[in-house]
Amino acid sequence: MGGINTKFGLLSEEYLFREIESRRVAYETAHPAERIISLGIGDVTLPLGRCVTGAMALAAKEMGTLRGFHGYPPAFGYPFLREAIAGAYAERGVTLSPEEIYISDGAKTDAAIIPQLFSEVPVLVTDPGYPVYRDMGLLSGHRVRFLPATRENGYLPLPGDLEDIPQVICLCSPGNPTGAAYDRAGMETWVAYARKSGSLLVWDAAYAVYLPSDAPHSIFEIPDARFCAVELGSFSKSAGFTGVRCAWSVFTEEVLFDGQPLALLWRRLKSTSSNGVSYLTQRGAEAALSEKGREECERKIAYYRENAARLSDCFFHLGWQGLGGDTSPYLWLECPAGLSSWEAFDLLLTRVGLVTTPGVGFGQTGEGHLRFSSFARREEIMEAVRRLRRVFSK
Ligand code: PLP
């Protein structure tokens, strides 16, 4: 007998951010005079750069003319954007053909459909980790296993004694929620393991722009990755495109799984599941990669970095343990006084007027942690710091 996808039963009932929102709304309704500061959901707060809005306005005007009108975009993206992204990789010494870059409306969309390339494979995800890999892996009928990211391994699990079987391994660096980033040696270790075991690395580099410039930003900075990795990139957290929606995936022509060329299957899957990304959006993304656009992005990133540094300084003085947000817009902290994630969430909401993200929402190993986002206005960060110090200073 057919029916709904029974795998829904494997997912937790409420998606994390909906639960956070409902607790926040309940508290706000009961305390209308209090000003709540949100360092919860990782959404950017600064407006788009002028370079981007200018290019999008121009594209809109073009679309209003007979000659400049564009209908359905090419399924894998306009060549101008694929070339601009390949150019940005080339500046870091990574050679990719523009045809190996596939434009999409979000790294989330790509992460969500990648599991459909496979049938009943082991999918390995970090715990804690970005929930999309786990949930979409389960919904697609795969066996999902967890790699604990703990204080002991610096929140950066390595293959260690993993058995040599082909599996799909989803890694995010810098990580969400922990912010921890693999160095070159860690990336080489994963690439070597993937080669040896016939596994595929799904490397999510959505936050790569937060890394110091001398750190590797792409898995393809490790040469053998061409054979065993795909990568996700996004304009969301670099150019502030969370509301515009533009991202990309890299599938090289050499990458195989189970002897099959994945790029071929990816093209089949993408052209079946999407009609592409609007011309306006892709012109905006292209502008974000121009020299002027990059300066604008860099200013935004520097602003969020400074926010993260101020939060980090506060937690250092309060003696809270965790990661500082120096390679990512997130801070990952152990809850004070041994509280559970949701207990600490409620404490911060009710005593500090601060919305955070409970670490357990990213996996069981995240229990006892909170994630703080530095995507906020500076005044809000300063106010959050003042309140935290007032409540928690000994
Ligand atoms: N990957 C990670 C690790 C993320 O944290 C997010 C968004 O928060 C995404 C991907 C989604 O990016 P996009 O906005 O491009 O869909």
Side-chain angles (χ1 to χ4, degrees):
M1 255 287 279
I4 60 144
N5 183 348
T6 54
K7 301 293 190 297
F8 276 102
L10 300 173
L11 308 188
S12 57
E13 245 175 55
E14 275 279 8
Y15 187 62
L16 174 66
F17 292 106
R18 268 197 279 141
E19 174 64 21
I20 293 172
E21 197 46 28
S22 68
R23 290 194 191 204
R24 172 205 169 115
V25 169
Y27 186 76
E28 263 179 336
T29 311
H31 305 84
E34 272 188 49
R35 193 164 69 82
I36 306 292
I37 298 172
S38 180
L39 304 180
I41 192 162
D43 196 355
V44 295
T45 50
L46 293 174
L48 295 172
R50 291 170 71 117
C51 192
V52 166
T53 53
M56 290 175 79
L58 208 66
K61 283 214 177 97
E62 231 183 305
M63 289 281 276
T65 67
L66 205 52
R67 280 166 63 93
F69 174 73
H70 291 77
Y72 285 123
F76 311 134
Y78 284 103
F80 62 77
L81 182 56
R82 301 173 87 185
E83 279 159 21
I85 295 171
Y89 275 102
E91 282 173 30
R92 298 202 56 87
V94 173
T95 306
L96 292 172
S97 140
E99 283 76 42
E100 293 177 316
I101 293 161
Y102 298 82
I103 308 304
S104 78
D105 69 354
K108 185 174 194 171
T109 313
D110 287 332
I113 63 170
I114 282 175
Q116 292 176 24
L117 291 169
F118 313 98
S119 173
E120 294 178 41
V121 291
V123 171
L124 222 58
V125 302
T126 58
D127 177 6
Y130 184 49
V132 178
Y133 310 122
R134 175 194 65 203
D135 289 356
M136 293 311 292
L138 288 171
L139 275 183
S140 307
H142 303 302
R143 191 160 52 89
V144 175
R145 296 190 305 158
F146 297 97
L147 278 167
T150 59
R151 194 209 292 197
E152 289 66 40
N153 61 23
Y155 303 102
L156 294 167
L158 289 170
D161 51 9
L162 282 180
E163 47 193 331
D164 277 352
I165 52 164
Q167 40 198 334
V168 175
I169 305 163
C170 304
L171 296 169
C172 179
S173 181
N176 179 9
T178 67
Y182 286 99
D183 61 9
R184 186 172 299 275
M187 292 161 88
E188 282 169 351
T189 304
W190 272 116
V191 168
Y193 170 76
R195 291 283 272 156
K196 180 169 63 120
S197 61
S199 296
L200 176 76
L201 299 179
V202 177
W203 193 264
D204 186 337
Y207 297 95
V209 288
Y210 289 85
L211 290 164
S213 62
D214 57 349
H217 284 209
S218 161
I219 194 67
F220 297 112
E221 291 180 47
I222 313 301
D224 266 6
R226 280 193 68 82
F227 304 99
C228 62
V230 300
E231 180 162 287
L232 306 181
S234 174
F235 290 92
S236 283
K237 309 293 162 74
S238 57
F241 268 41
T242 52
V244 178
R245 313 301 304 138
C246 196
W248 71 91
S249 57
V250 179
F251 279 69
T252 65
E253 287 305 322
E254 293 94 328
V255 67
L256 301 178
F257 191 83
D258 195 19
Q260 300 284 318
L262 285 180
L264 210 69
L265 305 178
W266 188 235
R267 286 194 282 273
R268 183 75 178 85
L269 181 59
K270 281 198 75 82
S271 51
T272 306
S273 60
S274 163
N275 266 337
V277 178
S278 82
Y279 179 67
L280 269 66
T281 297
Q282 294 195 51
R283 280 294 182 203
E286 180 195 31
L289 290 177
S290 68
E291 204 183 319
K292 183 91 188 13
R294 276 199 243 184
E295 278 168 29
E296 287 175 352
C297 293
E298 199 36 65
R299 277 200 293 278
K300 281 195 246 292
I301 293 157
Y303 181 92
Y304 297 131
R305 274 210 193 98
E306 177 62 24
N307 282 353
R310 293 188 187 210
L311 283 172
S312 173
D313 182 62
C314 166
F315 291 119
F316 177 77
H317 281 99
L318 294 177
W320 291 24
Q321 299 288 320
L323 290 184
D326 46 348
T327 53
S328 108
Y330 301 125
L331 289 93
W332 182 246
L333 290 150
E334 292 174 20
C335 299
L339 296 177
S340 73
S341 291
W342 280 111
E343 284 167 351
F345 172 90
D346 287 334
L347 178 77
L348 284 166
L349 179 61
T350 56
R351 298 274 314 278
V352 190
L354 204 59
V355 175
T356 56
T357 310
V360 71
F362 298 97
Q364 273 313 311
T365 310
E367 180 55 284
H369 292 76
L370 287 173
R371 188 193 76 173
F372 290 75
S373 162
S374 66
F375 294 127
R377 283 185 287 114
R378 181 66 45 75
E379 313 84 83
E380 293 176 310
I381 295 286
M382 298 314 294
E383 176 60 17
V385 165
R386 266 192 296 278
R387 293 185 195 175
L388 282 161
R389 286 193 168 205
R390 194 173 60 232
V391 174
F392 291 106
S393 287
K394 296 201 175 87

